[in-house]
């Protein structure tokens, strides 16, 4: 049946301007700080301050932008001193600056992340890019008054979570080396600052440990997936007397793509505010003495893994299927929840918003696959018995599709196009064994599970089997292209800055992910690569494709998309390739997001007809 799009009040501009990304809260003395990414300012990231009386102030005026490029994906770009001064990493020069003051670090190209203020110093992970292409990292301290960084720890390829004991004698941190990623194998190490002696407390090549925090001078809390799930443990500083605080088949953390987030906090009364669950992470209070965990009665179904505490209050960014990402304060004494800032100030009528339903279906070899289903929804039009659908594939691929309100999904569902968001094998949120389904199987398991989603939609009568498309970005774009190479289940595919060939990716991608393909696929073997990569399998594509790419992408070079587009054109397969000047890995500008979404809708209208 041809597609007759429903009229919808949700426009491309509404979606493009809905990307006010709130993140990285900090709080003390009734004050709250956070970051806002603004697509209508070219993706600039500013720092906001809310005073105890509720007055809201923007601390960074254009062209200043708070962003760190450590690992390219960055993370928390600022820190606040006890006196309320704000130190931030400036996007343009990557130096640390004082808001309202000058630069604190030399103009030598070094990058800084995971900022921690302790006494008269800022502690940070420092990243240096050398002329020979080598990248080195260390943990350094910088005087608050400014000056040359002092190096305390070096020798590992990567560092995260620098944290100091209350007495300042010990530095704890996470480290790992190539070819591992932080969700495959890390170590918790301690360094005694008086003499520089270091030792491993927990972790290894097959255990991912994250987010150490000192309980006291002799003990730490840490998250480890030793049991198969990221759970919380208490351990001594010498690695003895390890104790699981709440053993559960749940995750208490997300993968470490961005530096500086805390998925749990130590409260003044000794309890822990934790995030936990399968899929989305709920907010709860854990008593480490009794082992009891109680979820808080809040309107948000999930939270970003970056919490802050201020006396008897918690600050975080929560979300729900019909609630935009919201900077919220939770009073632990009264249970009162106060929304301080919303990522979308004006929502469309809730009747136009889709309802997320967690579903499971059986993939190849009987594998259970997780997904979220979003049927078409509009108060103005009756639903079809078998409407068109788009299979969404998240990036990463070690990442997760959650249930946060997404106007991009609503843009399609309010026009009569359903969405299924697949957490294929390899996704996070369902334990280490589920993540490791993708080990050596990228281009196989993710593709099979994505195809299985389309086949399940058709077999259940939920979608018209001739009107199912697939779309994804980055590694999700790889899966889109590979699925179109291997299956006739899709009427068309849409790839945003997707990967089509592995050898060029290995040669040109940034250091953090430069060995990731070894875990995902295997060693650099042209024969093996030819069985996986879309560019080698392009003869299998028969459906139209839309490829979108930023020309300043340091993660996935533009040649990955343009090369696949050229290969399709040579074979006579309909393909549209759109490239955007000034865009990187993930479109930030309003005009780019408007243009790409309009092109995507037009593409679906054509292929579903």
């Amino acid at each position: 049946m041809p597609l007759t799009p429903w009229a919808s009040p949700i426009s491309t501009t509404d979606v493009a301007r809905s990307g006010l990304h709130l993140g990285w809260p900090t709080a003390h003395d009734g004050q709250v700080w956070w970051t806002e990414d603004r697509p209508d300012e070219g993706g600039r990231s500013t720092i906001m301050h809310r005073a105890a009386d509720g007055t809201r102030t923007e601390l960074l005026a254009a062209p200043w932008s708070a962003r760190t490029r450590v690992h390219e994906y960055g993370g928390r770009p600022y820190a606040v001193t006890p006196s309320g001064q704000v130190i931030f990493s400036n996007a343009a020069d990557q130096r640390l600056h004082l808001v309202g003051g000058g630069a604190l670090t030399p103009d030598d190209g070094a990058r800084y992340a995971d900022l921690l203020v302790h006494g008269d110093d800022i502690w940070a992970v420092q990243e240096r890019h050398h002329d020979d292409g080598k990248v080195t990292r260390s943990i350094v301290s910088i005087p608050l008054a400014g000056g040359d960084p002092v190096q305390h720890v070096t020798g590992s390829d990567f560092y995260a979570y620098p944290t100091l004991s209350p007495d300042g004698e010990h530095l704890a941190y996470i480290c790992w080396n190539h070819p591992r990623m932080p969700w495959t194998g890390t170590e918790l190490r301690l360094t005694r600052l008086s003499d520089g002696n270091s030792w491993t407390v927990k972790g290894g090549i097959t255990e991912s440990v994250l987010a150490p925090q000192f309980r006291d001078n002799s003990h730490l809390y840490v998250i480890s997936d030793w049991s198969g799930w990221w759970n919380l443990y208490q351990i001594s500083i010498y690695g003895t007397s390890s104790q699981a605080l709440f053993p559960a088949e749940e995750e208490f953390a997300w993968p470490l793509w961005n530096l500086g987030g805390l998925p749990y906090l130590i409260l003044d009364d000794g309890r822990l505010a934790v995030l936990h669950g399968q899929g989305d992470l709920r907010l709860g209070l854990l008593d480490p003495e009794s082992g009891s965990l109680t979820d808080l009665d809040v309107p948000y179904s999930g939270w970003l893994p970056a919490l802050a505490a201020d006396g008897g209050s918690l600050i975080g960014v929560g979300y729900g299927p019909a609630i935009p990402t919201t900077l919220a304060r939770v009073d632990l004494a009264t249970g009162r929840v106060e929304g301080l800032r919303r990522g979308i100030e004006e929502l469309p009528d809730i009747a136009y918003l889709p309802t997320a339903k967690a579903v499971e279906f059986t993939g190849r070899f009987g594998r259970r696959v997780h997904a979220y289903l979003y049927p078409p929804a509009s108060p103005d039009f009756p639903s079809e018995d078998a409407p068109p659908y788009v299979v969404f594939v998240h990036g990463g691929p070690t990442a997760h599709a959650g249930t946060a309100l997404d106007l991009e999904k609503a843009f399609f569902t309010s026009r009569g196009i359903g969405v299924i968001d697949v957490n294929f094998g390899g996704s996070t949120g369902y334990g280490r064994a589920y993540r490791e389904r993708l080990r050596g199987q990228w281009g196989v398991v993710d593709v099979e599970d994505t195809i299985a989603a389309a086949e399940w939609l058709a077999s259940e009568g939920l979608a018209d089997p001739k009107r199912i498309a697939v779309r994804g970005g980055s590694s999700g774009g790889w899966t889109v292209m590979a699925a179109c190479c291997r299956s006739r289940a899709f009427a068309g595919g849409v790839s945003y800055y997707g990967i089509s060939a592995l050898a060029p990716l290995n040669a040109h991608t940034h250091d953090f992910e430069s060995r990731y393909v070894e875990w995902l696929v295997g060693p650099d073997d042209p024969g093996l690569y030819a069985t996986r990569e879309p560019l080698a399998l392009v003869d299998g594509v028969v459906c139209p494709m839309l490829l979108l790419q930023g020309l300043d992408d340091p993660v996935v070079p533009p040649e990955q998309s343009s090369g696949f587009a050229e290969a399709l054109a040579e074979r006579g397969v309909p393909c549209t390739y759109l490239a955007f000047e000034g865009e990187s890995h993930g479109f930030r500008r309003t005009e780019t997001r408007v243009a790409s979404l309009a092109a995507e809708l037009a593409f679906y209208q054509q292929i579903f007809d």
Side-chain angles (χ1 to χ4, degrees):
M1 154 184 317
L3 175 66
T4 303
W6 298 346
S8 170
I10 304 171
S11 69
T12 55
T13 303
D14 292 332
V15 178
R17 290 179 175 170
S18 71
L20 184 64
H21 179 72
L22 310 176
W24 311 117
T26 300
H28 64 76
D29 294 336
Q31 304 174 83
V32 183
W33 295 260
W34 69 95
T35 59
E36 290 185 4
D37 290 356
R38 296 178 172 175
D40 58 349
E41 295 184 36
R44 187 178 75 90
S45 180
T46 189
I47 300 172
M48 301 295 296
H49 172 249
R50 187 180 191 273
D53 63 4
T55 303
R56 192 166 66 200
T57 306
E58 181 177 353
L59 300 183
L60 291 183
W64 292 101
S65 181
R67 181 169 291 120
T68 170
R69 290 188 59 195
V70 172
H71 296 181
E72 298 302 339
Y73 293 106
R76 180 187 293 271
Y78 77 100
V80 181
T81 71
S83 64
Q85 293 180 299
V86 177
I87 298 111
F88 72 100
S89 168
N90 182 44
D93 59 15
Q94 290 298 292
R95 299 172 74 183
L96 296 184
H97 294 255
L98 184 67
V99 170
L104 302 179
T105 53
D107 187 12
D108 58 5
R111 306 174 182 183
Y112 301 89
D114 243 344
L115 307 181
L116 169 72
V117 177
H118 188 93
D120 295 326
D121 295 306
I122 310 157
W123 292 72
V125 174
Q126 183 193 70
E127 180 179 278
R128 289 189 174 275
H129 292 247
H130 303 276
D131 292 338
D132 61 1
K134 186 178 181 181
V135 182
T136 58
R137 298 173 184 86
S138 58
I139 296 178
V140 300
S141 61
I142 305 112
L144 278 172
D148 292 330
V150 178
Q151 188 178 90
H152 297 276
V153 178
T154 190
S156 294
D157 292 331
F158 301 96
Y159 293 96
Y161 296 111
T163 184
L164 290 160
S165 58
D167 58 13
E169 293 187 5
H170 292 100
L171 171 69
Y173 51 92
I174 299 298
C175 59
W176 67 97
N177 292 308
H178 283 306
R180 295 190 296 277
M181 299 297 283
W183 43 85
T184 60
T186 61
E187 295 179 56
L188 166 59
R189 289 183 61 82
L190 257 71
T191 294
R192 188 164 47 235
L193 296 175
S194 59
D195 57 17
N197 285 337
S198 300
W199 60 93
T200 297
V201 177
K202 192 168 177 54
I205 61 174
T206 59
E207 179 184 1
S208 171
V209 290
L210 303 168
Q213 295 190 60
F214 280 94
R215 172 176 177 160
D216 51 43
N217 290 322
S218 302
H219 297 87
L220 297 124
Y221 294 123
V222 67
I223 293 173
S224 167
D225 69 355
W226 174 83
S227 69
W229 297 81
W230 272 316
N231 282 188
L232 265 164
Y233 294 81
Q234 177 181 299
I235 193 167
S236 79
I237 62 173
Y238 297 106
T240 59
S241 65
S242 178
Q243 174 188 357
L245 300 184
F246 190 83
E249 291 188 349
E250 293 186 339
E251 304 283 40
F252 284 72
W254 277 6
L256 190 64
W257 284 102
N258 307 109
L259 298 177
L262 286 175
Y264 72 97
L265 294 174
I266 304 172
L267 303 176
D268 292 343
D269 61 8
R271 292 181 299 170
L272 304 180
V274 300
L275 299 176
H276 69 107
Q278 290 193 26
D280 293 321
L281 300 181
R282 306 185 305 277
L283 179 62
L285 295 178
L286 172 61
D287 185 340
E289 301 301 327
S290 66
S292 64
L293 174 57
T294 304
D295 285 341
L296 297 177
D297 183 14
V298 294
Y300 310 106
S301 59
W303 295 77
L304 301 185
L307 297 173
D310 182 22
S313 296
L314 284 175
I315 312 294
V317 179
Y319 59 80
I323 304 174
T325 53
T326 302
L327 181 75
R329 175 189 282 127
V330 181
D331 189 307
L332 297 178
T334 65
R336 180 174 178 265
V337 179
E338 180 185 6
L340 306 180
R341 178 72 156 154
R342 302 205 312 174
I344 306 173
E345 290 297 338
E346 294 186 13
L347 285 178
D349 187 323
I350 194 172
Y352 293 96
L353 300 179
T355 301
K357 179 184 178 182
V359 297
E360 292 184 16
F361 50 86
T362 302
R364 195 174 185 192
F365 304 121
R367 291 191 301 255
R368 300 300 294 169
V369 183
H370 298 274
Y372 292 107
L373 186 70
Y374 300 85
S378 172
D380 304 320
F381 298 89
S383 296
E384 295 182 47
D385 290 335
Y389 259 81
V390 179
V391 180
F392 275 42
V393 186
H394 67 69
T398 306
H400 174 76
T403 61
L405 172 64
D406 182 355
L407 282 192
E408 193 168 65
K409 291 188 179 75
F411 177 82
F412 295 117
T413 58
S414 65
R415 285 173 167 78
I417 303 172
V419 168
I420 186 169
D421 212 350
V422 182
N423 279 313
F424 50 81
S427 301
T428 55
Y430 307 101
R432 181 164 186 135
Y434 197 84
R435 294 202 310 271
E436 295 217 332
R437 286 185 187 179
L438 208 58
R439 184 174 188 174
Q441 295 296 305
W442 192 38
V444 179
V445 167
D446 54 320
V447 172
E448 291 173 348
D449 290 354
T450 299
I451 295 170
E455 293 173 342
W456 177 78
L457 287 170
S459 66
E460 294 292 313
L462 298 172
D464 180 346
K466 295 182 179 180
R467 295 189 297 164
I468 300 176
V470 59
R471 65 100 78 172
S474 189
S475 72
W478 153 282
T479 304
V480 166
M481 288 185 276
C484 292
C485 290
R486 293 180 177 274
S487 173
R488 301 293 186 268
F490 302 106
V494 178
S495 168
Y496 283 79
Y497 32 87
I499 300 159
S500 67
L502 295 176
L505 180 72
N506 288 340
H508 299 294
T509 197
H510 59 121
D511 183 61
F512 176 64
E513 292 183 275
S514 62
R515 305 284 295 277
Y516 193 16
V517 172
E518 289 184 32
W519 188 89
L520 289 168
V521 178
D524 192 343
D525 179 344
L528 174 61
Y529 284 4
T531 67
R532 303 289 182 84
E533 58 189 15
L535 193 58
L537 304 172
V538 68
D539 285 343
V541 180
V542 297
C543 64
M545 299 203 69
L546 170 64
L547 309 178
L548 305 105
Q549 177 70 47
L551 293 178
D552 295 338
D553 192 334
V555 178
V556 178
E559 294 76 19
Q560 294 278 343
S561 292
S562 62
F564 196 70
E566 291 168 4
L568 290 174
E570 289 174 2
R571 289 156 178 80
V573 178
C575 176
T576 300
Y577 172 63
L578 299 178
F580 297 94
E581 294 278 359
E583 287 289 2
S584 182
H585 197 65
F587 297 160
R588 295 181 178 276
R589 298 177 177 177
T590 298
E591 58 270 26
T592 304
R593 299 181 70 192
V594 167
S596 59
L597 192 59
E600 188 175 354
L601 178 61
F603 177 76
Y604 295 144
Q605 290 172 342
Q606 292 171 7
I607 65 172
F608 291 154
D609 277 346

